[in-house]
Amino acid sequence: MSISSGIQRLFVLAFFLALLLAAAQTVRAAPSAELWERWATHDPASTTKLEHRAWNQFLTRYVSPQADGVNRVDYGRVTRADKSALADYIDAMTAVRVSSLNRNEQRAYWVNLYNALTVIVILDAYPVESIRDIDISPGLFSDGPWGKKLVTIEGEKVSLDDIEHRILRPIWKDPRIHYAVNCASIGCPNLRTNAMTAANAEVFLNAGAVDYINHRRGAEVIKGQLVVSSIYDWFESDFGGNDAGVIAHLRRYAKPGLKNALSGISEVDDHRYDWDLNSSVKVAKAKKKRKSATTWRSRGS
């Protein structure tokens, strides 16, 4: 092989490696909020009230606030009966004609369904160090379970990404949605110990914002520099589109200590995120999980 042909091959290899790296970066980028028109339909006159008691009971039983301010889930203690009850709740939710509900009921529906699905995905794979190790999403560079079509609702196959980025974010355009949906990670806003309902939504969303922003996971000023959760970087467009918008949002929900620390701060200096599982027990290193077609997740595939 001549030197020139060898160099050409190296250039071709470098080109394809660059493409692969670019594709990987694209996959890891946070999805934008793009409305799935199918789910924009609602009935303002609807008086239907959904029952989330089973999900509320699960949360009360297995989610507990810890001294460090992080709510943790005792995945390892979930009984077979309680997991079955959780699956039944999800099945009941997927049977609901959600497009016939009013907006407030719809919001609670999607938030609770998202969180319940996330928990049962973890339970199917447990023990696992991080939700990102559950690589069941389609695509060569898939990361985590978010792209997997988990359930079928009104004849449409729906994934976690669909719920968050194609339904909740674009329909409600409320940055507090980020404090309501939980990705089963330490760095994420807490999975709350009660279910969202149409009646408690404002309290639920505001409490989530206050708790997260005033915890070091959300925002912390260190030697005059503002370090925030990566959520504010990934989804900056939901928080005003720039550092000033993010800081204004933080100030809105900041308690006196943080509010004073934010005085004079005009830019975000860094961001961070902890993807470790929000388990009440530290999970030892385990191989990545790829569940077979016989698991619960196959119901929506």
Side-chain angles (χ1 to χ4, degrees), residues 6-20:
I7 292 174
Q8 286 179 336
R9 288 188 179 183
L10 285 174
F11 272 117
V12 170
L13 178 60
F15 174 74
F16 279 109
L17 284 174
L19 287 178
L20 289 173

Side-chain angles (χ1 to χ4, degrees), residues 1-278:
M1 180 177 66
S2 67
I3 293 177
S4 60
S5 62
I7 292 174
Q8 286 179 336
R9 288 188 179 183
L10 285 174
F11 272 117
V12 170
L13 178 60
F15 174 74
F16 279 109
L17 284 174
L19 287 178
L20 289 173
L21 286 172
Q25 291 297 325
T26 300
V27 170
R28 284 195 291 268
S32 58
E34 296 182 2
L35 177 63
W36 187 351
E37 290 284 352
R38 166 69 177 78
W39 301 109
T41 303
H42 68 289
D43 181 1
S46 172
T47 58
T48 300
K49 294 185 179 182
L50 297 181
E51 177 59 68
H52 299 289
R53 185 180 305 169
W55 174 231
N56 199 78
Q57 289 175 340
F58 183 94
L59 293 170
T60 301
R61 188 168 298 167
Y62 294 110
V63 180
S64 57
Q66 303 296 307
D68 61 359
V70 179
N71 286 5
R72 286 181 167 81
V73 185
D74 199 347
Y75 297 105
R77 195 170 62 86
V78 176
T79 66
R80 182 175 297 181
D82 284 343
K83 182 182 177 184
S84 179
L86 179 59
D88 288 343
Y89 166 76
I90 292 171
D91 283 344
M93 289 298 100
T94 62
V96 170
R97 185 165 179 76
V98 64
S99 58
S100 69
L101 301 174
N102 63 51
R103 276 283 185 250
N104 289 335
E105 286 290 340
Q106 285 182 339
R107 179 172 55 184
Y109 170 91
W110 289 116
V111 166
N112 290 330
L113 180 59
Y114 183 101
N115 290 338
L117 283 170
T118 298
V119 167
I120 210 161
V121 162
I122 297 296
L123 290 174
D124 276 351
Y126 193 81
V128 65
E129 286 184 273
S130 169
I131 190 172
R132 295 183 69 180
D133 293 335
I134 308 173
D135 292 337
I136 58 173
S137 298
L140 180 61
F141 296 101
S142 66
D143 182 40
W146 297 285
K148 171 73 173 177
K149 300 293 186 179
L150 296 174
V151 289
T152 300
I153 305 169
E154 293 187 25
E156 299 284 358
K157 293 181 178 180
V158 178
S159 68
L160 291 171
D161 270 348
D162 291 332
I163 295 174
E164 182 177 5
H165 308 300
R166 302 180 68 196
I167 299 172
L168 283 168
R169 289 174 61 208
I171 290 178
W172 280 273
K173 295 180 171 55
D174 185 341
R176 295 176 302 169
I177 288 296
H178 293 287
Y179 309 120
V181 293
N182 181 268
C183 68
S185 302
I186 296 295
C188 189
N190 281 331
L191 179 62
R192 306 197 70 78
T193 56
N194 62 301
M196 177 189 269
T197 65
N200 75 8
E202 283 302 306
V203 172
F204 188 98
L205 293 168
N206 284 333
V210 170
D211 288 351
Y212 190 64
I213 287 171
N214 291 280
H215 190 278
R216 65 184 302 272
R217 291 169 302 157
E220 186 177 23
V221 178
I222 306 172
K223 296 181 179 179
Q225 294 194 319
L226 177 58
V227 180
V228 301
S229 165
S230 296
I231 287 174
Y232 302 113
D233 178 66
W234 299 329
F235 304 107
E236 186 180 65
S237 62
D238 293 351
F239 299 95
N242 52 37
D243 283 5
V246 169
I247 294 169
H249 176 82
L250 297 178
R251 285 181 175 138
R252 180 176 181 181
Y253 298 98
K255 293 179 180 179
L258 178 61
K259 188 165 288 188
N260 290 336
L262 289 171
S263 178
I265 297 290
S266 60
E267 64 181 9
V268 174
D269 296 289
D270 201 1
H271 60 89
R272 62 193 177 193
Y273 202 82
D274 185 347
W275 281 106
D276 283 352
L277 189 68
N278 62 343

